[in-house]
Amino acid sequence: MKKVHIVPHMHWDREWYFSTEESRILLVNNMEEILEMLETNPDYPYYVLDGQTSILEDYFAVKPQNRERVKKLVQAGKLIIGPWYTQTDEMVVGGESIVRNLLYGLKDSEEFGSPMKIGYLPDSFGQSSQMPQILNGFDIQYSIFWRGTSERHGTDKTEFYWESDEGSKVLVQLFPLGYAIGKYLPEDEEKLQERIDKYFTVLDRGATTENIILPNGHDQMPIQKNIFTIIEKLERLYPDREFFLSKYENVFAEIEKNQSLPTLQGEFLDGKYMRVHRSIYSTRMDIKAANTRIENKITNILEPLASIAYSLGFEYHHGLIELIWKEIMKNHAHDSIGCCCSDKVHREIMNRFFLAEEKTDQLIEHYKRKITDSIDTDRTEDRLIAFNLLPYERNEVVTTTVITKLPFFTLEDSDGNTIPFEVLKKEELDPGLIDRQIVHYGNYDPFYQYIVQLKDSIPAMGYKTYFVVNEENTMGNSLAARETVETDYYIVSVNPNGTLKIWDKQLEKEFNNVLLLENGGDDGDEYDFSPLQNETLIYSDHAGAKINMAQNDLQAQIDIQLKLEVPGTLENRKTNTIDRFVEVNWNIMIPNHQPVLKVNVEIDNQAKDHRLRALIPTGIASSVSVSDNQFGFIKRDVYDSAMDVWEKENWDERPDSIFPMLSFVGLSDQEHGVSVLTNSTREYEIIGKNDDTIAITLFRSVGVLGKEEMLRRPGRPSGIKLPTPDSQMQGKLNLDFAITTHRGPVTAANTGRIAKEFTTPIQTYNKIPYNAMKLNPSGVLTPLCFSLLQETSPTSVLSTLKKAEKEDQFVLRFFNPTEEGRHSSFTLNRSVEQVQEGNLNENPIASMEVENNSFTVSLKQNQVKTVLFY
């Protein structure tokens, strides 16, 4: 007899077209009904709370007195919670964010009882190929999801094993029709049978056992109180089936008995049976860029800096850091970071990012100050400290600010060596801006603020001290105007239209028209880009640009201003009426000693319903692109072959090759490659007659949440038809990315490492005797120079260094985004008691050999490893 597992649940979007506060009111109402049913009806055995503990956090903010009620039900196995904190997106959210989502979700769950050990992601817009590895890292062996699969992945069954490149594996139960097919089941038997007949046809076809799931829930749906009446009717309508209330674990126990399930690999981004919204990665680029920037600040700067401080004797502020993570993880829910929400919700999302970034910036500043204030020295001069938060020494150009009362100065290191520097800018500052107590006592002598540049070697995972020494000399602006700039790697000039012409000295190859702008209409919505049919795209090839180029001994600087004239609306595009514009200001920094062009762009958009992209021609015709995902890389076809059949096969959306990245994307052949690194936008497409141009989306401008009958997404609207004028992205936007060239393929060049350096700039702190916020002496003494650890084999990419949540130990995580097996070695610059390999949940899994405070870890392709040390 076939068994139908009816699983009661609610899918809880904290926000969508409605606000968090609106959903919280419903939550308080729904939770009371759920608790009462579970407490009073012994025949109602389970309720799944959508796999995310943020629901409980929102609930207890209103009903803290119900913690014990919830705890009893969780411990009894009736109320099923966890493992996530929020229902995360998997495409534009970084690896550490997804790890912390599970880390904090499981931590919160364990306060109440055992969490659900299922990677439950019923609505995320596509599945990352690295999810099996991440789930296994938390001892999770099962996964449930809906979107992204089709038969071309290797099976037409809804149960299969899913494997990451390094061998991690989870058993998947697919929701082929979504998580809501059992919503509001009607008592009318004719309507009930009409609905269920359609579902059984699909569910039976995909099942590998006699067990199928009927999820009984929907978005914000209250508990179905008449479910027992519904079950009675179903038993009458389908006497050959057994119907009962169940939980997902019961189904997995049955599926596991099947010894012949297929094993699939890779990501799931097919929109054949369900929409995955392959261009949602650039909706509300201001929000997307804020997320990228803040994720990188937390993992690349704050946590390693806090670890250095902790190793020196300061407190590791777990509570503050968890607050920051939870602030941004509320935004990582699929609708929130997808930005397919109402304008009022996007304002709330942006405010959360503002608060998270402010907390992050201030905590970074606090740690730098504590370390700097505590330096053990008799010297009384002002100090400048440079922090390197990567596990190897870096010889870098550092651009920083020095505030001093000195009209002239030199920099000396702790050994008394004079460090040359270049002055880029000097201005007077009112002393009241430094500390209002200064002017309170009548001292109005000005301070000077210098922007200076220096180049020096900074110790691995540590810092170096410089002293600001009074010396009479002349310090002028060292940047000299140029018409062409030349570094160790490039000769760069600017075409009249504002594009770059780059001669690569290493590769002996020219790249021209770099940063050409491409503009086209966007007849889409917040979910998807949709082009105007038969439109002629607008390019900046005939724009007139204002160009300023300058260079000193350390780096070149190029400033380009241009205005792209465009139609203001879709209707004007159809008639080719040019009446609005987009201003683009490129600021490009090219270090003399590195093969990288660092690009900052400020955009002022004054038009509606369009998309702007920057084009990077590579001259490399490649059938695949290489970009990164969580803890690794992924190769994707430049042309998706499903484009030839999607209409005939009636796909839900056209499979354009618009894809996400996290920190880089590149094209290469065996000889050389070109890659784009990013600290902002995470969307790209490979275009051009020869498939040789990387198109980086700068922004999309749309005015509606959901729209029907789109060119690349026929049929019903996604979401709802709701005006979202803020998503037109009118006004200013700032983005950061970089371009690098390299010998050999993208993976062999370990572009992931280059991207990590780009998103982990040297940090500085300038100590002067004045500060509006006073601190008492810490009682800790710190050295003038310091290094916590260093890698001794330059192979892996650091993911993060942090203090463990529960134990007095450090967590060092790194990964291998290359196609070769690697050995990664580290030396700790202090005596170490014990080193263990751990999992992503920070639990030890094996002891490691340590010799002279050094250890070595082997890494497969796309493998992440965690090391715990005391």
Side-chain angles (χ1 to χ4, degrees):
M1 177 177 282
K2 293 188 175 181
K3 297 178 180 179
V4 181
H5 298 251
I6 299 172
V7 180
H9 77 100
M10 63 178 179
H11 181 58
W12 201 258
D13 295 314
R14 292 184 74 251
E15 58 197 9
W16 183 18
Y17 57 89
F18 48 82
S19 69
T20 301
E21 296 315 311
E22 186 178 346
S23 76
R24 194 198 302 262
I25 293 166
L26 292 174
L27 176 64
V28 172
N29 178 78
N30 290 6
M31 281 295 290
E32 189 58 43
E33 295 177 353
I34 292 164
L35 299 181
E36 186 179 345
M37 176 71 86
L38 292 173
E39 288 168 338
T40 60
N41 194 328
D43 295 326
Y44 198 97
Y46 312 112
Y47 193 89
V48 178
L49 210 55
D50 202 39
Q52 50 174 328
T53 60
S54 59
I55 293 175
L56 291 176
E57 200 172 83
D58 288 345
Y59 179 61
F60 292 138
V62 181
K63 293 273 191 175
Q65 66 270 26
N66 282 348
R67 290 182 75 91
E68 283 305 310
R69 288 179 72 190
V70 167
K71 191 171 185 177
K72 284 180 184 176
L73 290 171
V74 173
Q75 290 182 340
K78 294 174 74 72
L79 185 63
I80 298 172
I81 65 170
W84 299 99
Y85 177 68
T86 55
Q87 281 282 345
T88 184
D89 171 79
E90 301 169 50
M91 292 294 120
V92 295
V93 168
E96 285 296 334
S97 293
I98 294 177
V99 165
R100 305 320 166 82
N101 206 315
L102 280 169
L103 189 74
Y104 291 127
L106 289 169
K107 177 185 166 189
D108 291 351
S109 298
E110 286 159 5
E111 290 183 29
F112 299 91
S114 297
M116 178 173 73
K117 296 299 283 285
I118 298 172
Y120 184 67
L121 291 166
D123 203 25
S124 58
F125 303 141
Q127 320 302 323
S128 167
S129 64
Q130 291 287 66
M131 283 308 296
Q133 182 175 195
I134 293 172
L135 295 174
N136 281 187
F138 289 87
D139 298 316
I140 295 173
Q141 309 300 323
Y142 305 136
S143 180
I144 293 176
F145 60 85
W146 170 24
R147 300 181 189 268
T149 62
S150 72
E151 303 88 348
R152 68 175 180 160
H153 292 113
T155 184
D156 60 355
K157 297 301 179 185
T158 51
E159 293 114 33
F160 51 85
Y161 285 100
W162 181 23
E163 189 177 55
S164 295
D165 285 344
E166 43 59 73
S168 296
K169 188 185 286 189
V170 289
L171 177 58
V172 171
Q173 167 66 65
L174 197 68
F175 281 160
L177 296 166
Y179 56 83
I181 54 175
K183 65 182 178 183
Y184 307 112
L185 292 168
E187 287 193 25
D188 182 291
E189 291 192 10
E190 188 176 329
K191 290 180 179 176
L192 181 63
Q193 184 168 16
E194 182 183 351
R195 262 179 70 179
I196 299 299
D197 277 353
K198 289 188 295 187
Y199 298 152
F200 282 168
T201 302
V202 176
L203 296 176
D204 288 345
R205 185 170 64 236
T208 60
T209 72
E210 296 296 296
N211 299 268
I212 59 173
I213 296 175
L214 185 63
N216 173 225
H218 187 42
D219 303 1
Q220 270 62 19
M221 176 180 148
I223 194 168
Q224 184 152 6
K225 292 184 175 181
N226 66 340
I227 191 63
F228 296 107
T229 303
I230 300 297
I231 289 175
E232 288 173 10
K233 291 178 180 290
L234 288 169
E235 286 172 336
R236 279 201 302 274
L237 291 169
Y238 303 95
D240 59 335
R241 297 179 188 260
E242 184 182 354
F243 295 85
F244 51 92
L245 295 178
S246 187
K247 60 181 178 177
Y248 297 126
E249 288 92 336
N250 294 341
V251 182
F252 280 108
E254 296 300 321
I255 298 170
E256 277 186 309
K257 296 173 184 176
N258 186 341
Q259 300 295 311
S260 59
L261 291 172
T263 298
L264 308 187
Q265 290 183 312
E267 67 183 358
F268 300 124
L269 268 180
D270 278 0
K272 183 173 184 179
Y273 297 110
M274 65 295 285
R275 294 170 177 179
V276 293
H277 310 301
R278 261 200 212 174
S279 48
I280 202 170
Y281 321 122
S282 55
T283 305
R284 280 303 297 259
M285 187 57 80
D286 55 340
I287 290 175
K288 296 290 199 306
N291 176 63
T292 305
R293 186 176 67 247
I294 297 165
E295 279 188 329
N296 287 332
K297 278 186 181 180
I298 299 170
T299 58
N300 298 2
I301 297 167
L302 173 57
E303 290 180 329
L305 182 64
S307 299
I308 290 171
Y310 179 69
S311 75
L312 291 168
F314 299 102
E315 181 182 357
Y316 191 99
H317 290 289
H318 272 303
L320 289 171
I321 292 172
E322 182 173 330
L323 272 178
I324 295 167
W325 273 116
K326 286 188 168 179
E327 198 83 65
I328 71 167
M329 288 190 304
K330 289 181 176 76
N331 289 350
H332 287 168
H334 52 285
D335 290 326
S336 301
I337 197 61
C339 300
C340 46
C341 304
S342 62
D343 280 347
K344 67 178 180 180
V345 170
H346 286 147
R347 285 193 285 272
E348 190 174 347
I349 291 167
M350 204 64 198
N351 189 55
R352 273 188 224 117
F353 276 136
F354 170 79
L355 292 173
E357 190 160 26
E358 183 71 4
K359 288 172 184 166
T360 303
D361 289 343
Q362 294 307 322
L363 191 49
I364 288 169
E365 196 72 7
H366 177 77
Y367 276 126
K368 290 192 296 188
R369 181 180 178 187
K370 294 288 273 190
I371 292 168
T372 305
D373 282 358
S374 302
I375 284 176
D376 186 12
T377 180
D378 294 328
R379 296 187 65 164
T380 58
E381 299 103 332
D382 294 352
R383 299 167 210 161
L384 178 68
I385 313 292
F387 295 85
N388 170 22
L389 301 168
L390 288 177
Y392 46 89
E393 185 177 304
R394 294 168 72 188
N395 189 22
E396 290 280 354
V397 171
V398 179
T399 304
T400 187
T401 300
V402 173
I403 295 174
T404 179
K405 281 183 170 289
L406 302 176
F408 306 104
F409 65 89
T410 59
L411 292 176
E412 286 184 10
D413 67 16
S414 57
D415 295 325
N417 300 311
T418 299
I419 306 298
F421 63 90
E422 309 267 8
V423 176
L424 303 185
K425 190 176 180 183
K426 177 184 177 181
E427 61 182 335
E428 283 192 13
L429 285 183
D430 188 295
L433 296 173
I434 307 298
D435 183 350
R436 64 183 182 276
Q437 298 302 322
I438 303 172
V439 296
H440 179 74
Y441 294 106
N443 185 345
Y444 295 98
D445 294 341
F447 284 77
Y448 300 102
Q449 179 173 279
Y450 296 88
I451 308 296
V452 302
Q453 247 174 22
L454 62 98
K455 183 186 176 193
D456 200 11
S457 291
I458 316 298
M461 196 57 72
Y463 62 84
K464 183 171 182 176
T465 301
Y466 305 94
F467 294 97
V468 181
V469 180
N470 187 10
E471 183 169 312
E472 290 288 334
N473 67 0
T474 55
M475 300 189 306
N477 190 322
S478 61
L479 284 170
R482 298 276 193 278
E483 291 188 5
T484 298
V485 296
E486 181 172 359
T487 71
D488 292 349
Y489 291 89
Y490 304 121
I491 300 172
V492 183
S493 58
V494 183
N495 297 314
N497 59 17
T499 61
L500 304 182
K501 182 184 288 185
I502 303 167
W503 173 255
D504 190 310
K505 295 165 144 185
Q506 264 195 317
L507 304 178
E508 296 185 328
K509 185 176 173 62
E510 184 178 88
F511 302 94
N512 199 7
N513 295 315
V514 175
L515 298 180
L516 182 72
L517 297 171
E518 175 212 89
N519 183 259
D522 191 340
D523 196 13
D525 55 16
E526 288 185 335
Y527 289 92
D528 280 299
F529 167 73
S530 191
L532 276 180
Q533 205 158 14
N534 303 320
E535 181 185 16
T536 300
L537 296 176
I538 297 170
Y539 295 94
S540 62
D541 47 355
H542 296 300
K546 293 180 182 177
I547 302 159
N548 285 299
M549 304 177 72
Q551 188 165 9
N552 60 25
D553 290 339
L554 300 178
Q555 74 174 19
Q557 179 175 317
I558 304 174
D559 295 306
I560 305 165
Q561 298 178 32
L562 62 99
K563 181 185 284 189
L564 188 65
E565 308 282 351
V566 299
T569 63
L570 282 176
E571 289 308 308
N572 285 355
R573 281 185 183 270
K574 291 171 184 175
T575 59
N576 200 28
T577 303
I578 307 291
D579 60 341
R580 303 298 289 169
F581 62 88
V582 182
E583 281 187 353
V584 176
N585 292 341
W586 300 109
N587 180 258
I588 301 156
M589 297 290 188
I590 314 171
N592 187 58
H593 68 296
Q594 290 175 324
V596 64
L597 295 89
K598 299 177 181 180
V599 181
N600 172 266
V601 58
E602 185 177 272
I603 301 164
D604 184 3
N605 171 42
Q606 295 299 320
K608 296 180 179 180
D609 297 305
H610 63 128
R611 180 180 70 176
L612 187 70
R613 302 200 291 189
L615 307 186
I616 294 93
T618 70
I620 302 166
S622 178
S623 60
V624 296
S625 64
V626 180
S627 66
D628 64 330
N629 57 5
Q630 296 84 9
F631 309 121
F633 73 89
I634 186 158
K635 291 184 177 181
R636 298 183 174 108
D637 289 339
V638 165
Y639 180 79
D640 193 324
S641 59
M643 287 286 284
D644 300 328
V645 297
W646 77 279
E647 287 179 296
K648 185 172 64 178
E649 293 182 358
N650 200 29
W651 281 45
D652 266 16
E653 63 183 44
R654 192 172 81 186
D656 291 53
S657 295
I658 301 172
F659 288 119
M661 57 176 163
L662 293 179
S663 67
F664 74 84
V665 59
L667 290 178
S668 60
D669 52 29
Q670 288 306 307
E671 282 74 45
H672 66 285
V674 178
S675 295
V676 176
L677 322 174
T678 184
N679 196 30
S680 55
T681 172
R682 284 177 166 171
E683 181 180 276
Y684 75 91
E685 184 179 12
I686 308 303
I687 63 169
K689 289 180 181 177
N690 299 314
D691 293 329
D692 64 351
T693 297
I694 303 172
I696 300 297
T697 308
L698 300 179
F699 70 88
R700 290 179 57 230
S701 160
V702 293
V704 65
L705 195 157
K707 187 183 282 190
E708 77 275 24
E709 297 298 345
M710 284 161 44
L711 189 63
R712 62 186 299 275
R713 200 191 69 210
R716 64 171 179 82
S718 285
I720 57 173
K721 294 171 71 174
L722 177 74
T724 54
D726 287 359
S727 289
Q728 292 286 8
M729 291 293 298
Q730 292 189 292
K732 292 191 175 179
L733 172 69
N734 201 286
L735 303 175
D736 282 294
F737 60 94
I739 302 165
T740 186
T741 57
H742 45 82
R743 288 199 174 101
V746 173
T747 52
N750 205 345
T751 306
R753 236 175 118 87
I754 303 168
K756 180 75 176 184
E757 289 186 8
F758 173 64
T759 56
T760 313
I762 300 291
Q763 301 294 299
T764 59
Y765 185 80
N766 178 207
K767 175 177 170 51
I768 60 176
Y770 312 96
N771 195 306
M773 304 295 180
K774 306 302 180 190
L775 288 177
N776 288 322
S778 66
V780 174
L781 292 178
T782 58
L784 284 160
C785 290
F786 179 76
S787 174
L788 175 60
L789 59 85
Q790 62 191 43
E791 65 173 24
T792 49
S793 56
T795 54
S796 61
V797 178
L798 178 72
S799 187
T800 200
L801 172 68
K802 66 183 288 286
K803 184 182 177 290
E805 298 294 317
K806 299 170 187 171
E807 303 293 332
D808 187 16
Q809 60 188 1
F810 287 105
V811 176
L812 177 67
R813 188 152 41 243
F814 43 91
F815 59 95
N816 172 23
T818 76
E819 297 179 80
E820 304 287 333
R822 298 284 178 97
H823 293 283
S824 197
S825 301
F826 292 85
T827 297
L828 305 171
N829 295 327
R830 56 179 51 208
S831 179
V832 60
E833 296 176 21
Q834 186 181 24
V835 178
Q836 297 169 296
E837 186 176 333
N839 64 10
L840 294 176
N841 203 19
E842 302 181 359
N843 295 321
I845 55 178
S847 292
M848 294 176 58
E849 283 189 25
V850 184
E851 188 174 341
N852 297 325
N853 298 323
S854 298
F855 58 87
T856 299
V857 177
S858 61
L859 291 163
K860 301 175 187 174
Q861 170 184 317
N862 285 347
Q863 186 170 31
V864 61
K865 285 280 182 82
T866 301
V867 170
L868 311 173
F869 63 92
Y870 291 86

